[in-house]
Amino acid sequence: MKVYPGRIPTICKEIVEALMSESLIEVMPEMVEEVELDVASILKEYNRMDREITDRGRDHIAERGLPYS
């Protein structure tokens, strides 16, 4: 799944709000921003790993002379 970097703050805010509204997590009001930053870190790491895996796949395909499709 593609997660666009520019959308990460909005996605994080919506995730945290949804979890709080369903009482799945309890967050003190002054800590909401910190929780959103934690979720953003997870999504950024996901993007980094996705990019790394994609690059490795491209490298292996190129090494074997296979078509990318």
Side-chain angles (χ1 to χ4, degrees):
M1 176 175 84
K2 179 75 172 164
V3 179
Y4 295 99
R7 299 279 301 147
I8 288 178
T10 304
I11 293 169
C12 294
K13 184 175 181 70
E14 291 175 5
I15 288 171
V16 172
E17 287 175 359
L19 292 171
M20 290 173 57
S21 71
E22 294 293 323
S23 299
L24 297 172
I25 61 172
E26 292 181 18
V27 180
M28 294 182 297
E30 64 272 12
M31 297 300 292
V32 171
E33 188 174 320
E34 185 68 27
V35 174
E36 290 172 1
L37 290 174
D38 289 343
V39 175
S41 294
I42 293 167
L43 292 177
K44 288 175 184 176
E45 178 63 9
Y46 169 84
N47 272 348
R48 187 195 68 74
M49 291 181 74
D50 182 59
R51 194 170 39 253
E52 181 181 327
I53 291 168
T54 300
D55 290 345
R56 283 185 188 176
R58 284 186 190 139
D59 291 344
H60 287 294
I61 288 170
E63 288 171 5
R64 290 168 178 76
L66 301 171
Y68 186 69
S69 60

